[in-house]
Amino acid sequence: PASMAKLAKVPPMLLLLYFGGTMIYDAIKDLEEGKDENIAMKEELEDAKNEIDEWFGDGLVKEKDNEADVVSRLFNRENITLVQEFFVMTFLAEWGDKSQIATVAMSTTSNPVGVALGGILGHAACTGIAVATGRLISEQKAISESHISLVGGTMFVAFALHTLITL
């Protein structure tokens, strides 16, 4: 039984190693080719910024607002539509991706409640970081997708090595 538990950790470890390696490889290849991601990223961010300005206008909270004004502005039809669109987009983007595969693999050998909470907190942290750094990226203090892939790939490989060492 103990050896089966160790053996069950091998597939997730191999997946982490594979995905980490491919992320690192793709990032290095893009950096060597001098792929300019910033132009496309700037255009996409400008479109998103304009769309957000349309939805929120001068901002969600104004100086003399009471709670009811803020709540009504927060839960207006356009914002609900925005939440629905981002939910569907995120759900479809995550379906069958690396994190979902890793979650399935982890839940085969670990407490499902712990895996679910860890996954939820991990996604919330990643989304929070993405939202918090969005302004920096949009102001041309951009971090390229290649650099993000290098860091992410390195973390995947580190997790795989940690799993191997703790077998």
Side-chain angles (χ1 to χ4, degrees), residues 15-76:
L15 285 172
L16 288 170
L17 193 59
Y18 170 75
F19 288 128
T22 56
M23 288 172 73
I24 292 169
Y25 173 79
D26 290 341
I28 290 171
K29 188 174 77 172
D30 288 345
L31 288 170
E32 286 175 351
E33 292 174 0
K35 187 176 173 185
D36 190 0
E37 303 162 334
N38 290 337
I39 293 171
M41 189 185 309
K42 278 174 108 177
E43 291 171 357
E44 189 174 328
L45 288 169
E46 189 61 35
D47 290 344
K49 195 174 174 184
N50 291 338
E51 208 164 318
I52 289 169
D53 287 344
E54 284 178 29
W55 284 324
F56 289 114
D58 294 333
L60 185 61
V61 180
K62 310 222 183 326
E63 272 187 48
K64 296 183 180 186
D65 278 346
N66 60 35
E67 277 185 42
D69 292 335
V70 173
V71 170
S72 68
R73 218 176 358 269
L74 181 62
F75 292 104
N76 69 27

Side-chain angles (χ1 to χ4, degrees), residues 123-140:
H123 280 288
C126 285
T127 301
I129 290 167
V131 170
T133 59
R135 179 60 75 184
L136 292 176
I137 292 171
S138 69
E139 292 175 348
Q140 189 46 36

